[in-house]
Amino acid sequence: MLRAATALLVALSAVAGAAPAPLRGIIEGYYGRPWTGPARRDVVRFIGAHGMNAFVYAPKNDDFHRTRWREPYPAPALTDLADTATAARAAGVQFVYALSPVLDVCYSCPADFRALTRKLAQLAHAGVRRFALLFDDGGAVSAPRDAKRYGGRDASALARAQADLVNRTLRWLAAHHLPPLVMMVPTEYAGTTCLPYHDALARRLRRGVPVGWTGPGVFAETITAGMARARAGCLPRHPTVLWDNFPVNDTVVSNSLHLGPLTGRDPALPATLRGYLLNPMTQAHASLVAVATAAAYLRAPAAYVPDAAWSAALAELGGGGTGLGVLAAQVRSSALDLRDAVALGAAVDAVTASFAGAGWTPAVEALEQEEGVEAVAPADIAAHLGGTPLADEIAPWVDELGAHVRRGQEASRLLRALKPSLSGVEAIPGAGTLRVRGVAGGLDLATAAALGPGFVAEADAVAARIAAPPVAGYLACLGDFTGADIHFCPQFGLNVHGKALYFVIRTASDISLVSDRNVHERLVRLVGSLYTDWSARRGPGTDTLTLTLAGMAVALAPDGGFDVVVPAPPARVTLLAATAAGEGTALDVP
């Protein structure tokens, strides 16, 4: 027993004292419109202030990074990159320019190698000193001379071709007194299974070149040190750089903000890596919520508490208000953790469990309290963040939050309308007696008639959407969802209060659709169902109201008032207003 405890303490000490990954920061590697230069420099300064030391420039839809990689940058774009490199140096951050020739490069063609090195030379002359080569999301041995030189067109031949290009680039960098490549990203960049591609790459790639990896999948709920070691076993002598696809929201998940904390990352993971890079959202400033939590994790992995780091990040970025935190709680979820709107979900669960009985009031009050907290968030965000880039980025989700809250408050009004009311109740102890007085009200039929049918129709529409998610329409609306001109489609919902239309992408062949995790929609369906059941019970005399105290009938005045004196009970007793159809509202007195 003592030996086991000692071993455990040694293991925990090793984790707590493990050195962080040497390279820590951001890889701007998403699909969609690249960030603006000023936004990119804001992020660079932020990560430098939070202990991160690397920014890798790799936006898929910078044409000169990928589709037009052979062409030199126009002067304005080159100046912008130079300005970012300068800002990075001032912030203590390495600015790494990544080139991705993967779509159409001829690996063995001298002309393409000259184009590649001319591009690097142009950037080096502008003050960029560190580079990476990316071969993700594309690539094939297509040129006949490549097939001949690298022994075919299969995955192993592709790996040999990419290793050869990387090795020649390394020699060029050394000859021009530039640092070696920060990393290369292979075509097979996910998973822990060793493939023939990896074997060929490991054999040909110069020893020590760091290799990118996204974890066990494209998006990974959990990444452990064991997984990283398994991956390293596929590429011995090549350190691993984790490209963590969090909080990225590009392509088919562009209708979501991911404002939750980094979760599911092993405390021992960073010590197994050469680098840890986060792929951010298309919204630069909104990405900083998740980035700040990741910075806290990388500073002290063993001490990292996601929710504590999250609260600190929201306090820092919220401009002194609480509205950002309220919004973040409703759009927290991502492929890492699909939980959202936890407080609202608990309130809806409580209403679901209690509304059929007479003790429903506390649950509806809790629902109203949560809706009230959320109702002030849009104004708080406007007051504390109005006019900032962050406020502009999150505005569509703030608008949807406001719409949901207004409907949620109507849901509470309808719930109250379906039940009798007890108001102004006083319990007055006397000498051996208890006097109870107040007003009992019947059902609010006008409010029920005004709101109920609309909730039924909305609930039916939600159920139909869940049964047949509008995937085709959504994809058609997005247009070229891997391009810079992807369309924004809020009409399909922005996943406030949980996922109503969301793709979880684990691998290219393992993609699942989430369509039924929206808590607000769960509330709508619940209220619609309750109204339908309530309507079915209506009939002549069903709304007749009675009142009892501890099971004894209490007389009601025409206006619902009551005033009764009973012997003092030994314990609390129940005051119950009920209709003939069975709708009840209970209150314990005194």
Side-chain angles (χ1 to χ4, degrees):
M1 186 69 177
L2 180 59
R3 182 179 299 174
T6 301
L8 177 60
L9 288 172
V10 170
L12 291 174
S13 298
V15 171
L23 201 69
R24 307 174 303 281
I26 295 289
I27 180 163
E28 185 188 345
Y30 58 81
Y31 289 92
R33 191 164 299 282
W35 291 342
T36 65
R40 188 173 296 114
R41 290 185 280 278
D42 285 347
V43 172
V44 163
R45 286 185 282 267
F46 183 89
I47 66 174
H50 287 74
M52 291 178 159
N53 61 11
F55 186 99
V56 180
Y57 178 89
K60 291 288 192 295
N61 295 117
D62 170 0
D63 289 345
F64 295 94
H65 155 78
R66 190 168 169 87
T67 57
R68 299 167 63 183
W69 64 270
R70 295 176 180 84
E71 302 176 35
Y73 273 97
L78 185 65
T79 297
D80 187 77
L81 288 170
D83 289 346
T84 303
T86 299
R89 282 191 292 273
V93 172
Q94 297 181 33
F95 180 75
V96 181
Y97 178 87
L99 189 66
S100 180
V102 67
L103 296 179
D104 62 357
V105 65
C106 173
Y107 291 95
S108 61
C109 293
D112 272 5
F113 185 70
R114 285 194 298 271
L116 186 153
T117 54
R118 277 198 304 268
K119 188 68 158 286
L120 301 187
Q122 182 199 29
L123 288 155
H125 184 72
V128 177
R129 309 295 294 174
R130 296 182 180 274
F131 300 98
L133 286 180
L134 310 188
F135 302 100
D136 55 306
D137 294 355
V141 175
S142 55
R145 64 178 293 154
D146 281 351
K148 182 177 180 180
R149 177 165 178 172
Y150 303 114
R153 300 179 185 274
D154 61 6
S156 296
L158 179 63
R160 289 190 288 271
Q162 291 170 352
D164 182 46
L165 185 60
V166 169
N167 293 343
R168 284 184 285 134
T169 301
L170 287 167
R171 291 193 291 271
W172 183 89
L173 290 170
H176 290 78
H177 308 291
L178 292 167
L181 291 173
V182 170
M183 67 171 176
M184 67 86 67
V185 175
T187 298
E188 296 290 350
Y189 54 78
T192 56
T193 301
C194 300
L195 303 173
Y197 171 93
H198 298 128
D199 181 65
L201 186 67
R203 290 174 181 274
R204 293 294 184 92
L205 187 63
R206 181 187 293 182
R207 181 173 184 165
V209 176
V211 177
W213 174 61
T214 62
V218 177
F219 292 87
E221 181 179 354
T222 302
I223 306 178
T224 67
M227 293 172 183
R229 285 191 289 268
R231 172 61 174 209
C234 298
L235 293 158
R237 303 176 301 177
H238 295 289
T240 302
V241 175
L242 177 62
W243 173 323
D244 196 342
N245 274 317
F246 175 77
V248 65
N249 65 344
D250 59 357
T251 66
V252 295
V253 296
S254 62
N255 59 341
S256 291
L257 281 181
H258 297 151
L259 293 188
L262 180 70
T263 60
R265 302 301 181 253
D266 184 352
L269 173 64
T272 67
L273 303 170
R274 173 66 60 85
Y276 192 122
L277 302 171
L278 294 146
N279 192 14
M281 295 190 289
T282 57
Q283 295 82 14
H285 299 85
S287 295
L288 299 181
V289 173
V291 169
T293 69
Y297 163 71
L298 291 170
R299 282 196 301 273
Y304 178 64
V305 179
D307 279 6
W310 188 42
S311 295
L314 292 167
E316 177 184 0
L317 295 164
T322 60
L324 180 63
V326 172
L327 174 67
Q330 319 317 318
V331 294
R332 167 183 176 136
S333 67
S334 68
L336 275 59
D337 180 355
L338 285 171
R339 293 176 301 161
D340 249 327
V342 173
L344 182 62
V348 174
D349 288 343
V351 173
T352 303
S354 67
F355 197 76
W360 58 272
T361 307
V364 171
E365 289 175 345
L367 175 63
E368 291 168 337
Q369 182 178 8
E370 174 59 23
E371 296 285 6
V373 169
E374 295 182 23
V376 301
D380 182 272
I381 290 170
H384 292 91
L385 295 173
T388 66
L390 175 56
D392 292 342
E393 290 172 1
I394 65 177
W397 288 267
V398 175
D399 290 345
E400 184 149 312
L401 173 64
H404 283 195
V405 167
R406 290 188 292 274
R407 195 61 170 150
Q409 291 174 327
E410 289 178 338
S412 297
R413 286 177 53 207
L414 178 56
L415 291 171
R416 287 190 175 277
L418 304 183
K419 292 283 192 174
S421 63
L422 289 167
S423 60
V425 175
E426 293 181 285
I428 306 168
T433 63
L434 178 67
R435 181 183 182 187
V436 182
R437 63 187 179 186
V439 178
L443 309 182
D444 184 350
L445 299 177
T447 296
L451 294 177
F455 271 97
V456 172
E458 189 174 348
D460 288 344
V462 169
R465 184 198 56 73
I466 291 173
V471 173
Y474 175 60
L475 296 180
C477 175
L478 293 176
D480 180 9
F481 56 76
T482 63
D485 295 321
I486 179 176
H487 298 156
F488 186 54
C489 301
Q491 65 269 35
F492 288 88
L494 295 179
N495 288 321
V496 174
H497 290 119
K499 305 309 187 207
L501 186 63
Y502 189 74
F503 296 84
V504 178
I505 306 167
R506 295 176 181 87
T507 68
S509 59
D510 184 5
I511 301 174
S512 57
L513 177 67
V514 177
S515 63
D516 60 353
R517 292 186 65 99
N518 190 278
V519 179
H520 172 74
E521 289 189 343
R522 181 150 55 90
L523 173 62
V524 168
R525 296 180 73 189
L526 171 65
V527 173
S529 174
L530 291 172
Y531 177 79
T532 297
D533 293 344
W534 177 88
S535 298
R537 294 193 297 270
R538 306 274 61 77
T542 56
D543 298 337
T544 302
L545 185 67
T546 59
L547 183 68
T548 60
L549 179 63
M552 298 182 297
V554 176
L556 290 173
D559 65 354
F562 60 90
D563 192 336
V564 62
V565 178
V566 297
R572 293 170 68 86
V573 292
T574 299
L575 184 66
L576 175 65
T579 67
E583 292 91 16
T585 299
L587 179 66
D588 288 339
V589 294

